Amino acid sequence: MFSLELSEEQRLIQQTARDFAQSEIEPTAIERDKTGEFPHEIVRKLGELGFMGMMVAPEWGGSGLDTISYVLALVEVSKADASVGVIMSVNNSLVCWPLETYGTTEQKERYLRDLATGRKLGAFCLSEPEAGSDATRQSTLAVRGDGGWILNGTKNWITNGTTADLYVVFAQTDRTKGHRGITAFLIERGTEGFVPGKKEDKLGIRSSDTCSIGLTNVFVPDSNVLGDIGEGFRIAMNTLNGGRIGIAAQAVGIAEAAFEAALAYSQQRKTFGKPICEHQAIQMKLADMSVRLEAARLLLLKAAWLRDRGERYIKAASHAKLFASQTAVQLALEAIQIHGGYGYVREYKVERYLRDAKITEIYEGTSEIQHIIIARELLREVGYASPQPVTN
Ligand code: COS
């Protein structure tokens, strides 16, 4: 039975994250949104707090915590600034996790300690110009060279793209095998032929750094193959299952921020002689917002809880990601509505919540992809055997 009680340690992590986020991240979030400046100093401090490798074992420099602690911290960080949230989420979920899970001891010695302590930053390179939702259609090609592989292709929408030190890159090593011919590689920043493009000019999460990356005859030694040859797609999917819990946490953080801003403003602003929180029209909105937020939080905690128990959590992660991301967008919209004209200007932070929220419905699997994953899991659970493979 799903249990909600947080341990003493989990509460402490949540409080530490809240204190840090409100004192060191939130006050400068509006400014970073304007300038697009990458929060180097904040990321360094998050590393010192043990938040860049929260679930990594202490022997590799991590905090050795569970998924629940991780999402509690990520909600607080994202509530203060969703740009910082995604930087933290990618490093923890999409880079440290596959490296610890599939890496050799030698690869972990070389990379994991620095990543888990925040001294170095990671990025995850799966998407391509022609392969987003249909991630099996990798065009980046790896051909055999002397003692390693030579990679050519382009990767798109890479979070931490121009800043990262280590990239987990997926490429096709055997075209005849489809998704079972995809392999994961570890590529260091500065490797010849591996060239991050210019930072994308985005609607939201503007101080996180997103770019495309060109690969031209990039040599990757055998010692930098992550997992087995042909295991890459499985690594990517298993990694994204966990990543989606991280994005759900980011979305819950944004939704909480929007809700709290709306609740506070509704008590200050007066119309028709009384604070607007006394008008039923606003009360209906606040009540609906609180229900959705609570439901999103519960779905998030359930997914994290299942993962910590070692149970299958694919459906729960997609439930949480789908619902929390939609909640973030809806609550940000309602927060703007409650603020009226003030909600529409950059001086007030609620318009940023909407711009930041939108991406949570897109990356690490769009809402449409989450529906597909949930439906497939439902059919699997009831033992449905399709006369044809369930394809789309
Ligand atoms: N977890 C673990 N394994 C998974 C999985 C999941 N969530 N989803 C698919 N797989 C496995 C399947 O079990 C299958 O394994 P086999 O090697 O045994 O055949 C393999 O991956 C291929 O799956 P499938 O045949 O279902 O592939 P499809 O192309 O039909 O669809 C989806 C797979 C749509 C689920 C996948 O491409 C996906 O998640 N796309 C979104 C990718 C994404 O999030 N992109 C954003 C990039 S990061 S910003």
Side-chain angles (χ1 to χ4, degrees), residues 4 10 21 30 45 62 95 134 141 146 154 221 264 279 287 299 343 374 385:
L4 256 183
Q10 287 163 343
I30 287 186
K45 288 184 181 169
V95 183
D134 48 352
L141 203 58
D146 191 13
T154 307
H279 295 304
L299 287 175
I374 292 165

Side-chain angles (χ1 to χ4, degrees), residues 23-34:
S23 63
E24 307 254 353
I25 303 179
E26 212 275 341
T28 44
I30 287 186
E31 189 55 27
R32 270 192 308 280
D33 175 62
K34 282 185 191 144

